[in-house]
Amino acid sequence: MTRIAIEDIWPLSPLQEGMLFHAAVESEGSDAYVGQRTLELTGPVDAARLRTTWQALLQRHAVLRAGFRRRKSGEAVQVVARGVVLPWREVDVSGLGLADAVVAAEGVAEEELARGFDVGVPPLVRVALVRLSAVRHWLVITSHHI
């Protein structure tokens, strides 16, 4: 397992216990609790500023920096990490025609969803920014519901 700087340790809710069980059963790729939202952004986008904003959100909210592990006793806990870096990906498909760019953007979203998450390694959210044109982007947010 990956070592992290620990900020806090929290108990799990009963619902989280169930999700953790299912995440362990579905150890390859995406499980039933991995979700994705795609937002279409129109107009110019400052990718660096957007990334900085998402990183600040992650730093502000401890729950977004939680991973899920078991103590030696077997008890499951949420481990809140310090200094977590948001997984961020930028893909530029603006050189393609619009129809092909949309297909390529859909492919990026499918890849992100298929990757799934190791629930022991925070954060359980990642963001991909796909540039379709100078004034059209997709923001693909993939996260684990736990």
Side-chain angles (χ1 to χ4, degrees):
M1 288 207 157
T2 304
R3 290 182 129 333
I4 60 173
I6 297 173
E7 179 177 307
D8 208 349
I9 297 176
W10 300 336
L12 269 63
S13 71
L15 183 59
Q16 286 174 315
E17 284 275 3
M19 289 181 187
L20 186 60
F21 170 80
H22 288 286
V25 170
E26 301 289 333
S27 61
E28 292 293 316
S30 188
D31 67 50
Y33 295 103
V34 174
Q36 187 175 76
R37 285 113 198 108
T38 301
L39 305 174
E40 185 169 343
L41 308 177
T42 55
V45 170
D46 182 337
R49 181 175 280 176
L50 186 58
R51 181 180 188 172
T52 299
T53 301
W54 272 91
Q55 184 65 45
L57 184 70
L58 191 72
Q59 293 312 119
R60 172 175 269 180
H61 299 285
V63 70
L64 297 176
R65 292 179 277 114
F68 295 78
R69 303 210 178 170
R70 293 205 177 271
R71 295 180 187 261
K72 289 180 184 176
S73 67
E75 173 193 20
V77 293
Q78 297 180 63
V79 178
V80 179
R82 279 193 182 97
V84 172
V85 176
L86 175 75
W88 175 270
R89 178 179 173 196
E90 290 182 40
V91 180
D92 187 345
V93 296
S94 63
L96 304 173
L98 183 58
D100 289 336
V102 168
V103 169
E106 289 169 346
V108 170
E110 289 170 7
E111 289 169 16
E112 290 296 322
L113 191 59
R115 281 178 50 200
F117 287 92
D118 175 348
V119 296
V121 181
L124 301 182
V125 62
R126 62 180 169 264
V127 179
L129 180 63
V130 184
R131 178 186 169 118
L132 287 90
S133 74
V135 294
R136 188 171 180 198
H137 295 74
W138 280 12
L139 188 67
V140 180
I141 306 158
T142 308
S143 62
H144 199 288
H145 189 65
I146 194 169

